[in-house]
Amino acid sequence: MKNENTIEKNTLPFKKLLNVIQVANLLNVKPWTIRAWVSQKKIPYVKVGRLVRFRPEDIEAFIQANCIESHVFWENETKVN
């Protein structure tokens, strides 16, 4: 008989939250950079008590929002001799 208060594995409606070190590794920055961005509210985060955690979909959106596409414009240059 199952306890009604028990949550079965994989029944939660969200993905596992990431910690500061995991996000730093994903973004290839130092953990202190992530902590600074949290304090400056530059990156979305979740507070779990005293802990700071990140939703994977928020990190993906953060990357997309900060993606700068390069635009190369070629002009037809004529050589003047």
Side-chain angles (χ1 to χ4, degrees):
M1 185 172 162
K2 291 184 182 179
N3 184 346
E4 292 178 11
N5 296 328
T6 303
I7 298 174
E8 292 184 31
K9 190 175 182 178
N10 297 327
T11 61
L12 296 175
F14 53 86
K15 297 177 184 178
K16 186 174 180 181
L17 297 174
L18 304 171
N19 64 32
V20 169
I21 293 171
Q22 291 169 320
V23 173
N25 288 335
L26 281 171
L27 300 178
N28 199 27
V29 297
K30 301 284 183 186
W32 62 264
T33 301
I34 301 300
R35 290 186 188 98
W37 290 349
V38 165
S39 106
Q40 298 164 7
K41 297 189 180 354
K42 288 186 175 183
I43 192 167
Y45 62 93
V46 175
K47 290 287 287 193
V48 181
R50 296 178 0 174
L51 304 175
V52 174
R53 295 292 184 256
F54 305 87
R55 294 184 302 184
E57 58 271 19
D58 287 344
I59 299 306
E60 186 175 339
F62 174 79
I63 293 169
Q64 291 299 319
N66 288 283
C67 182
I68 301 170
E69 295 184 27
S70 64
H71 296 282
V72 179
F73 297 99
W74 296 96
E75 293 182 19
N76 291 334
E77 295 182 17
T78 56
K79 293 183 181 181
V80 178
N81 290 336

